[in-house]
Amino acid sequence: MIKPRSRRGGGRPTIADVARKAGVGAITVSRALREPERVSEELRRQIQAAVDELGYVPDPNARALASARAEVFGVLVPSLTNNVFAEVVRGIYDSLSASPFRIQLGNTHYSGLEEERLLQVFGSQRPAALIVAGIDQTPTSRKLLESAGCPVVQVMETGPDPVDMMVGFSHLDGGRTATEHLIEAGYRRIGFIGARMDPRSQRRLAGYRAAMEAAGLFDPRLVTTTPVLSSVSLGREMLRDALAKVPTLDGVFCNNDDIALGVLFECHRASIAVPKTIGIVGFNDLDMMQVAFPSITSIRTHRYEIGRRAVAMALAAIAGNRPEQRIVDLGFELKRRESTAR
């Protein structure tokens, strides 16, 4: 019988050291660390006390060799500073905090080429699962995901053709709902103001246009967009541009909350009454929408829950219980506030 390797010369503690300290076998320690639900609570405490005392850290490479899959969730998002994706990532981290899985986080910077590069890197490490933002992967990225050999969950959107699984909501329907709300509130010259026009924002614009055309109100001059990175100060500038094109503008649907807040600030600066003269609707419903004055109507998206649901779907697939429902639409909520309460 081959004995478990033990520490030499005061180096890094091994699983054999933990086993000796806890008075159990190395296999029991391994099982307790990998699948804690399979051992008793008393034994878990006993082994955890030994782990804490020795400062033992499991070797992820050894685990990967044993399982042929690294205990890693690869997560790709387009931004780490955008609060929208930060909430998704928080949901992922919270859901995996008590599991043996670690998270490898990648920032694509809204670049299809960077997403391809990161997927090649992640794929070479044989992750247990991949969670990626969006549904507009390049053909190369799509092939990399399809050949990853692990559960894949696309998040923040829904569509008809998932790589594997998908959880999110319809941005087109969100844009349509926001615009229809402004129309129902009595606004007619309703503009769309959007920055960083990624595919999700393009679908919000399509929803806006569908609602405006259905009401016989669409005019291309009402649309003001830029590929520039979104910010509050940019929202102020874009409202000025929109009013220069259409001085009779009386409503604005903004593609995100940063832009909406900037629009509100510019209205204050120019003594434009909100909601009497101009109504404002944002998208995502970040905390600042509730505390602005007047408070801003926005489309609330369930970002934290999307992160948690993505993990649940991936874990179920890893356990051999792949969800029957491959596409999960968590929807959105229109949060009516003072900025559209004429």
Side-chain angles (χ1 to χ4, degrees):
M1 176 176 169
I2 298 175
K3 293 183 179 181
R5 181 175 57 88
S6 60
R7 179 173 43 161
R8 292 181 181 177
R12 177 175 172 172
T14 69
I15 200 166
D17 297 321
V18 175
R20 263 193 303 274
K21 192 75 178 176
V24 298
I27 292 176
T28 303
V29 173
S30 178
R31 183 182 299 117
L33 295 176
R34 290 170 58 85
E35 300 174 277
E37 70 280 358
R38 293 185 60 188
V39 300
S40 68
E41 184 176 350
E42 181 180 351
L43 191 54
R44 281 201 306 271
R45 288 203 194 100
Q46 185 178 332
I47 292 170
Q48 189 60 50
V51 167
D52 293 342
E53 183 176 341
L54 293 173
Y56 171 71
V57 178
D59 184 350
N61 294 322
R63 288 186 175 187
L65 286 172
S67 66
R69 281 279 162 194
E71 290 183 332
V72 170
F73 271 51
V75 179
L76 289 180
V77 294
S79 172
L80 297 178
T81 57
N82 187 322
N83 286 334
V84 172
F85 294 104
E87 280 291 289
V88 177
V89 170
R90 186 169 69 87
I92 294 170
Y93 269 94
D94 286 356
S95 296
L96 289 174
S97 61
S99 80
F101 295 101
R102 296 170 293 121
I103 295 171
Q104 185 172 15
L105 194 57
N107 184 355
T108 69
H109 300 282
Y110 294 91
S111 166
L113 291 176
E114 180 64 6
E115 184 174 61
E116 291 175 8
R117 188 188 72 80
L118 288 171
L119 283 174
Q120 289 170 347
V121 172
F122 283 20
S124 69
Q125 297 167 356
R126 299 181 61 78
L130 287 168
I131 298 175
V132 296
I135 61 176
D136 295 282
Q137 282 76 30
T138 66
T140 297
S141 287
R142 174 116 190 169
K143 288 179 182 177
L144 288 167
L145 290 170
E146 289 172 342
S147 62
C150 66
V152 174
V153 187
Q154 293 162 285
V155 298
M156 286 301 286
E157 292 196 70
T158 56
D161 188 25
V163 171
D164 183 7
M165 296 172 285
M166 183 181 292
V167 55
F169 60 94
S170 169
H171 291 258
L172 187 146
D173 288 347
R176 180 190 289 120
T177 296
T179 308
E180 288 174 347
H181 169 66
L182 284 163
I183 294 170
E184 290 165 3
Y187 300 98
R188 290 297 175 266
R189 300 291 280 168
I190 302 165
F192 176 91
I193 295 181
R196 174 74 85 176
M197 292 299 291
D198 61 30
R200 286 171 289 278
S201 288
Q202 294 287 353
R203 284 186 267 279
R204 294 170 202 171
L205 172 57
Y208 156 85
R209 179 165 184 161
M212 292 292 282
E213 287 180 343
L217 298 173
F218 182 72
D219 179 342
R221 294 177 302 164
L222 292 166
V223 177
T224 305
T225 64
T226 177
V228 175
L229 181 66
S230 180
S231 68
V232 174
S233 59
L234 182 62
R236 295 185 60 181
E237 297 173 18
M238 294 188 75
L239 179 62
R240 289 196 291 267
D241 293 342
L243 287 170
K245 291 189 298 180
V246 184
T248 57
L249 192 75
D250 71 349
V252 179
F253 168 44
C254 305
N255 78 317
N256 63 49
D257 291 338
D258 289 345
I259 295 297
L261 192 61
V263 167
L264 177 64
F265 286 167
E266 181 58 21
C267 286
H268 288 333
R269 188 202 65 80
S271 298
I272 299 172
V274 177
K276 182 178 179 181
T277 304
I278 286 184
I280 305 170
V281 177
F283 201 99
N284 282 313
D285 198 36
L286 302 180
D287 287 345
M288 58 189 175
M289 297 294 96
Q290 301 178 53
V291 299
F293 182 77
S295 57
I296 301 176
T297 297
S298 188
I299 297 291
R300 174 172 291 178
T301 57
H302 306 296
R303 305 174 297 280
Y304 180 78
E305 180 58 28
I306 286 172
R308 292 187 65 88
R309 187 66 67 88
V311 169
M313 294 170 77
L315 289 175
I318 290 169
N321 302 313
R322 186 173 293 275
E324 291 184 13
Q325 187 178 359
R326 295 173 60 208
I327 301 173
V328 176
D329 187 344
L330 293 182
F332 53 82
E333 297 176 64
L334 173 68
K335 303 303 291 185
R336 294 175 175 84
R337 297 196 180 95
E338 296 166 337
S339 68
T340 55
R342 259 183 167 174

